[in-house]
Each structure stands twice: as C-alpha cells, then as structure tokens.
Amino acid sequence: MSPMCFAILALSTMVAFAAGVGFERMRTRRDRRVERITRAIVETMPAHAWQHAPDGTFTYLNPSLSDYFGLPDEAFQRGKRRAAAVDEHIRRLQDSVLHPDDAEAVVAKWHDCRARRARFTSDHRLRRADGAYRWYRVDLYPDLDPAGRIRAWHGTEIDIDDLKRTERELRNRERALQRIVDTVPVMIWCGDAEGRPQYFNRRMRQFADIKPEDFDEPGPARLSALLKALHHPDDAAGSERVLRHSFATGQPFFHRYRSRRADGVYRWIEGRAECLRDEDNAILQWFGVAIDIEEQVNAEAALLQREQELKRLIDTVPAQIWSVAPEGFTSYLNKSLQTYTGQPAPEPGAARLPFRDLLARILHPEDVQRVTQALMASLQTGASFAQRYRIRRADGEYRWNEGRAQALRDGEGGVLQWYGVCFDTNDLMEAEAALREAQTTLSRAAHSASLAELSASIAHEVNQPLAAIVANSDACERWLIAEPPNLERARLSLQRVIRDANGAAEVVARVRALFRQSRTARRAERINAMVTEVCRMMTAEAGGKSIDIATELTPADPEVWLDRVQFQQVLVNLTRNAIEAMGEDGGRIVVRTAMDGDEVRIAVEDEGSGVAEPARVFDPFVSTKDGGMGMGLSICRTIVESHEGRIWVEANRARGATIALALPRREPAPAAGDAS
C-alpha cells in the first residue's frame, strides 16, 4: 500500500471514530478520554475531514476544512445540521467550490459511486476561501450497516497541489526531453541489462519503419530478429557478435554496418552503445545511438580513391619527391626516390627519421655539410631551398641532382609541411661540360684564326710601304755616294721614303680603327640586378666544379650609367677567371657590391691559387693560365676605363685573390674621338 493510501485510510478511520457511531457509544470516562484524543487528532491534522448523512446533511466538518472554504452557506457551518436533498447539496458544491472544468466529471462520478454504494476517489480542484483553486485528492467511504444500507459517508481531502505541480513539471520536462530525443539527428535506442531492445526514438522508428509488434520475440530471439530485419545480410552476423560481446562483458560497443532504410535502401551506419550501472556496478540498462554516415563513407571512399590516384601519379613521375615535417622529420619518399636511393619509405608508427640523417646516408660526403646547412636554414627561416648535389644511387654510383623545396603554409603563414623534388641532372651536366669545353676550344681556334688573319692582313698591308721605303732608301744612298752626288735625285728618293712611311702609318691607323669601339648608347642600370643576373648565368658552370657563387649586395642598390652588354662581358670574364683559378677543388666565390662616396665598387673574391704578378695581370698577352691568350683582363680594363672607371687586383689574406673595379655614379663624359 502506498503512503498516500495509508494516509487516506488513517484519516478515514479517525473520522469514523470522531463522528461515527463511536461518539454515540463511548459513554464511559475512558471512552470520553479516547473521544477527546481522537477529536483532537482529527481537528488538528493537516487535512480536511468530514461526515455526512445519506441525505447529504453534514454531520461533521473538521476546522481545517471549514476554515479552508470559508463559505457562508449553512451546509458548511460547523455543527449546523440541516436536512437537504442530496441533489441540492451536490448542486451547491458544484456551484461553490468545484472548479468549472472539473465539476461535471466529479458530479457524474459521485452519482455513480453513490448509486453503487462504492468508494468515491477523485483528484480535482477546490476553491479556497480567497478564490484560489488547489488540487485535492478526495476520498469518500460508505459506512454500511449489516443490511448493506448506507448509514453515513466519511470523507477526507488531502492537498496535492504541490504534487500536481511537480508532476506537471515532470511531464513537461519529459515531453521536452522526448522532443529532444525524437528530433536529434541521430537514432537512439535502449535495451535492458541483457541488451534486449526496449525503446527506439522516433527518428529510428521512421528510418527503419520499426513497429513494437515486429520484435516481440522473447529473449535472444528478439535481438537476432531485429538485426536480421534491419542490417545488411553481410553485416548482421558481425553486428550481433560484437553486440553480444559487449552485452556479456559490459564493454562499450562500436561498430559500422549497413542498415536498411524504410524505402529498402541500405545505408552505412555507425553504432555506439554504453551501459548504465548502479552503485554495485551491476548493469541496469544499455543506451545506444546509430548515426547515418553514408555521405561520410562515400566521401572517405572518394578521398581514398583520389589519394591512391595521386600516390600512383607521384610514384610514377620521373622525379624524386619527398616531404618533411616542420620539425625536420622525414614524412614521405615517393617510389621513384625509394628505388633511386634504395632507402625505404617511413613506416606508420615507426620511429621518426630525421631528414638530416637521411641526407647523411644518400649524399656525397663532400656535399653533406653544405646541403644540410642550407636545408636546415630553410626549415628554420621558411625560405625556399635550391641546390645541386650528388646522390648515391642504389648501385653505389654518385650522380649529380638538382633539388628544390618549398613550404606549404596555412592561412596565417605557418609552415604545415615541406615538399621537395630532385632531378637527376648528371647526364645534362656532363653534356654541358662537354659543350663548354667545345666552346672554349672553338673560341681559342677562332681567336687564333682571327689573329693569324689579322697578322696576315697587317703584314700584307704594311709590307708594300716598307719595301718601297727600303728601295727608295737604297736609291737615295746611291745618289748621295755618286761622283758627283746627284742631290736632286737623292731629294726625290727621300720624298718617296716619307710618302711610303706615311702610307705605313695609315695602314696601322686603319688596323687600330678596327679595334677602336665607338661609344654606344648607355643608360642607368641597377648594379645589384646586373650582378645577380650574371651570377645566375654562371651557376651551372660553377656547380659542375662543386663551386658555390654567393652575393653580398649593398642595400642602396645604386644605378650606374653604362653599356649593359659590355659590362656583362666584364663580369662574366671576371667570374669565369675566378672559377678557372679555383680548379677542380671546389670552394666559394663571393661577388660583392658596395658604395664608396660617389663610386660604386664591385669585387669578385675567389679561393684559388692567387696572382703572382698583380701589376702585369692587365697587360696584353700576359696570362696566368696555361694556354691563355692574355687578352681577357686587358679587354676588361679597356672597357672599364672607357666608362671612366678603374680596375685592380688584390691578394686575399687566407687564399685566392680579389679583382675589384670602381665606377662613377654619374654619366661618364664622351671620350675624345668617340662617335657622337
């Protein structure tokens, strides 16, 4: 029996003692004392109690009830007895204290109970004296005599307004929770401690067209029937196995499977479930969700296919491709690089390989330090990487490669990954070296041919005036030693000597005119840009000899008036001389620009063998190279001086030499004799 029913029975018993036949029969002193105690209990208890006769006359009302209603109607005056028709009494109750929305149902139920002489129980609202309505639980018990006739009705009213309000709030919360459960974009279910399905939310019922009567088999058959009906035939057994394992062990459930939708289409679902336990860690219930991941699975499949296509593409391109994490660890080596070097690809979960260690394995010992320093500097600064270096192929042969690397950045500029590529340029470099050697040989042959042709031309042109001079000189001598001397003839011969000497001078002047360059159009050029361009042109030639060309450029980046083609010839000549001076030992060439007052200075510093006679190095036909013609630096000086500049050579403190030149920033004045 619930506490509420127990209270109602207790109150009814008290009323019976207080207002029933017991009041008439208790005559002794002890009975009167019990009567006083009972009345005190009934009149002070926090509930309403009353008694009325079968004809509706109230025979007793406890003070709590009388005070609650506070009505002037004689029917509710304590101790007042008046015979009244039952229907009239009910009408008065209906009009005075019953809530209009409850009155009709309460009265109908009361008529039914009165006719059947049955207990009347009802929850309805009663109006308080101040006009407020509150919920009450009303109980009326018929007191029957041995013949089954009603002697009286005993009633109690317990205020359940707070209980009703609480129940209403709970129902509202339950409805709100149910709406949430039914509208969340996932399918929700729950089962008992053994995992047997008990509930499906609306979304799941609609998705799979589930009806409770479809799965009313008892015990394990219910779960099997559910899985068989909803899951793809290829997935049902696996799902049931995973579920039963979780139900048996209490471990959380996670599984992917295909589930049949109401329209018969199977879609991929991700299922999860966990159990609810009591304080003793016993499983009370299982709660699970099922999430439709069809689009996600399709996207993952498309992404995987695309990833495989890209991987095949990267693995088949004729280049070695790699990637490095920002922290410097090797992330990826494509198939071509693995085959080329014989190095395995990084395995997932294995210890991460520093890229520095990989370089030490595959690079030529002479290139390891240079390339590693440059690459580590790029990783730290984010600058692009470009180098030529030798890689040990899987067969042990070292071959020249050209490498490039660039950083992949996020929206804020942070480095996400480094990607690099390298190409085998060994055959190309050998071909370039052969081409350069052929060009050098051809150039020397052309120079020799030009000099031979020039010499023959000069000899041919000068030979005739010189022969005439000799002949006329002999004639003059003969005329002077003749007896007597023929002075007229001698004078005529001397005139002819003078004429032929002037002819020889004209021949020499014509030859000089062939080499005298007229002043070409000059314009302002950025000296840093010109130096950078020439160094880039010479990088390939220097790289073939393991020589790095570096620049240290003045931030001022001045402009100089000059002939761009002529000055490029000067810079190329100086840089090539530095490369040839360093031989095959490799090293570093530095080209610097600087400001010195109104002059712009350019210096080419090498680590070669140096210059033995700096004072004569710019003289014609003086060369420090075997087989050299000794005209390059002489021509450079001629060009620099034609720009009103100067050029000189200095010995370095440690090793090698530096050739420097200075040019005025202003436009040079036209040279005498130059074409305007």
Side-chain angles (χ1 to χ4, degrees):
M1 181 180 295
S2 66
M4 183 67 69
C5 294
F6 181 79
I8 293 172
L9 290 176
L11 289 173
S12 300
T13 304
M14 293 177 186
V15 171
F17 275 108
V21 179
F23 287 145
E24 298 294 331
R25 296 179 178 177
M26 294 180 186
R27 297 302 183 201
T28 65
R29 180 179 300 174
R30 180 177 180 182
D31 293 339
R32 286 195 297 272
R33 184 169 64 252
V34 172
E35 179 182 352
R36 286 195 302 270
I37 294 173
T38 302
R39 181 179 293 274
I41 293 174
V42 172
E43 293 185 353
T44 58
M45 66 181 181
H48 303 164
W50 77 90
Q51 181 189 60
H52 63 75
D55 62 356
T57 304
F58 277 91
T59 57
Y60 175 78
L61 295 90
N62 73 338
S64 177
L65 185 146
S66 180
D67 294 340
Y68 177 84
F69 291 108
L71 296 174
D73 191 342
E74 295 90 348
F76 295 95
Q77 295 302 317
R78 183 172 50 185
K80 181 71 175 176
R81 295 172 180 262
R82 182 178 65 85
V86 174
D87 292 339
E88 179 64 18
H89 168 62
I90 294 174
R91 186 187 63 77
R92 288 175 176 271
L93 289 175
Q94 181 176 353
D95 294 340
S96 58
V97 298
L98 290 176
H99 192 283
D101 295 342
D102 303 336
E104 184 176 353
V106 171
V107 170
K109 186 175 182 180
W110 164 241
H111 280 303
D112 178 66
C113 291
R114 187 166 57 86
R116 294 186 293 106
R117 292 178 293 180
R119 174 188 173 185
F120 170 84
T121 302
S122 174
D123 292 347
H124 53 263
R125 288 162 286 185
L126 298 175
R127 188 178 62 188
R128 202 166 52 187
D130 58 3
Y133 285 96
R134 293 181 64 85
W135 282 94
Y136 275 84
R137 177 158 296 167
V138 180
D139 276 282
L140 277 171
Y141 296 89
D143 182 13
L144 304 177
D145 61 13
R149 293 186 298 270
I150 296 177
R151 291 183 294 200
W153 289 87
H154 307 291
T156 58
E157 294 174 350
I158 299 176
D159 190 327
I160 60 170
D161 196 75
D162 295 337
L163 176 62
K164 285 287 186 179
R165 187 178 296 108
T166 301
E167 291 177 348
R168 184 167 57 253
E169 292 177 358
L170 289 176
R171 285 194 299 272
N172 291 338
R173 292 181 183 179
E174 183 180 357
R175 285 194 294 269
L177 180 60
Q178 186 64 50
R179 285 194 296 270
I180 294 174
V181 171
D182 285 337
T183 56
V184 291
V186 295
M187 294 170 278
I188 301 175
W189 60 270
C190 70
D192 59 15
E194 287 74 28
R196 290 184 293 269
Q198 294 178 324
Y199 168 78
F200 304 97
N201 73 335
R202 183 173 59 191
R203 184 175 293 270
M204 190 167 188
R205 294 195 303 271
Q206 292 175 348
F207 178 88
D209 192 22
I210 297 176
K211 300 179 180 61
E213 59 271 16
D214 294 340
F215 309 103
D216 54 0
E217 294 88 346
R222 187 177 188 186
L223 177 62
S224 299
L226 176 64
L227 297 178
K228 184 177 180 180
L230 296 182
H231 288 201
H232 191 280
D234 296 340
D235 302 337
S239 298
E240 183 173 3
R241 183 174 60 256
V242 174
L243 271 172
R244 293 199 181 282
H245 174 75
S246 294
F247 294 155
T249 62
Q251 296 178 354
F253 163 82
F254 176 82
H255 190 53
R256 283 189 173 186
Y257 52 88
R258 287 162 291 181
S259 182
R260 178 186 53 78
R261 201 167 57 183
D263 57 3
V265 176
Y266 285 98
R267 295 179 65 85
W268 279 101
I269 301 295
E270 181 176 285
R272 297 173 180 267
E274 290 189 9
C275 61
L276 174 66
R277 299 176 182 270
D278 60 13
E279 296 178 353
D280 298 327
N281 205 36
I283 297 176
L284 297 176
Q285 218 168 7
W286 282 89
F287 295 94
V289 296
I291 306 172
D292 189 326
I293 58 169
E294 178 73 18
E295 286 75 15
Q296 177 184 341
V297 170
N298 292 337
E300 290 175 352
L303 182 62
L304 179 61
Q305 180 181 0
R306 181 59 176 166
E307 181 181 353
Q308 292 173 345
E309 292 176 356
L310 291 176
K311 188 176 183 301
R312 287 194 295 268
L313 174 63
I314 293 174
D315 285 340
T316 54
V317 293
Q320 291 82 48
I321 300 174
W322 51 266
S323 68
V324 174
E327 299 81 11
F329 292 98
T330 307
S331 301
Y332 173 75
L333 304 177
N334 77 330
K335 192 68 175 179
S336 178
L337 184 56
Q338 296 175 44
T339 303
Y340 188 86
T341 62
Q343 296 294 321
E347 293 293 337
R352 297 192 295 177
L353 174 66
F355 198 58
R356 182 191 300 270
D357 295 349
L358 178 63
L359 294 178
R361 295 180 186 177
I362 66 175
L363 291 183
H364 192 282
E366 297 177 1
D367 301 337
V368 170
Q369 182 177 1
R370 170 175 58 88
V371 176
T372 302
Q373 288 178 351
L375 185 58
M376 292 301 108
S378 295
L379 293 181
Q380 293 175 1
T381 63
S384 300
F385 168 82
Q387 286 275 345
R388 277 190 174 182
Y389 41 80
R390 287 162 289 183
I391 293 181
R392 181 174 55 80
R393 205 166 54 182
D395 58 4
E397 179 186 356
Y398 284 98
R399 295 180 62 84
W400 281 99
N401 279 257
E402 182 170 346
R404 297 284 188 271
Q406 193 76 26
L408 173 65
R409 300 178 182 273
D410 57 20
E412 299 178 354
V415 176
L416 298 175
Q417 192 81 352
W418 279 90
Y419 292 97
V421 60
C422 54
F423 303 92
D424 188 321
T425 58
N426 199 78
D427 296 338
L428 176 62
M429 292 185 65
E430 290 179 353
E432 290 178 349
L435 178 61
R436 286 195 300 271
E437 185 177 356
Q439 288 175 341
T440 301
T441 303
L442 180 61
S443 177
R444 289 176 178 174
H447 287 169
S448 299
S450 297
L451 287 175
E453 183 179 355
L454 177 61
S455 300
S457 176
I458 293 174
H460 180 272
E461 293 292 334
V462 177
N463 185 54
Q464 291 181 357
L466 290 179
I469 290 173
V470 171
N472 288 321
S473 297
D474 289 340
C476 180
E477 182 181 12
R478 288 194 303 269
W479 294 121
L480 289 176
I481 64 175
E483 290 293 340
N486 191 337
L487 297 180
E488 183 64 24
R489 288 286 185 180
R491 185 177 61 81
L492 181 60
S493 296
L494 288 175
Q495 289 177 349
R496 289 176 178 174
V497 169
I498 294 172
R499 182 199 64 188
D500 292 335
N502 289 333
E506 289 179 1
V507 170
V508 174
R510 288 200 303 270
V511 172
R512 289 184 62 190
L514 292 176
F515 289 93
R516 188 179 64 186
Q517 297 181 356
S518 299
R519 185 169 186 250
T520 56
R522 299 177 181 178
R523 62 181 182 181
E525 297 284 349
R526 293 283 183 185
I527 202 69
N528 286 354
M530 184 173 296
V531 169
T532 302
E533 181 180 358
V534 171
C535 291
R536 188 181 299 114
M537 292 168 53
M538 302 301 296
T539 298
E541 184 173 341
K545 298 183 178 182
S546 300
I547 297 174
D548 288 335
I549 300 179
T551 58
E552 294 179 6
L553 307 178
T554 174
D557 194 13
E559 290 185 343
V560 178
W561 287 83
L562 47 78
D563 185 316
R564 181 180 182 85
V565 175
Q566 289 182 351
F567 211 76
Q568 280 183 338
Q569 292 175 351
V570 172
L571 294 178
V572 168
N573 198 311
L574 296 182
T575 306
R576 180 173 287 119
N577 282 351
I579 294 173
E580 292 174 352
M582 295 171 65
E584 301 296 330
D585 296 333
R588 189 168 183 261
I589 296 174
V590 181
V591 182
R592 298 184 176 90
T593 62
M595 291 295 302
D596 186 7
D598 291 333
E599 289 185 334
V600 178
R601 293 197 176 189
I602 304 173
V604 179
E605 177 183 331
D606 63 52
E607 297 176 351
S609 57
V611 178
E613 298 178 281
R616 298 188 56 214
V617 73
F618 297 102
D619 293 342
F621 306 108
V622 175
S623 176
T624 60
K625 299 175 290 185
D626 295 336
M629 297 180 62
M631 295 298 295
L633 291 179
S634 177
I635 295 173
C636 289
R637 182 176 65 179
T638 301
I639 294 175
V640 171
E641 289 178 351
S642 72
H643 286 76
E644 297 186 13
R646 52 197 176 91
I647 187 169
W648 67 94
V649 62
E650 298 173 351
N652 297 337
R653 290 184 179 180
R655 182 184 178 188
T658 298
I659 298 181
L661 60 92
L663 297 174
R665 294 188 63 181
R666 61 180 174 81
E667 182 179 5
D674 284 350
S676 58

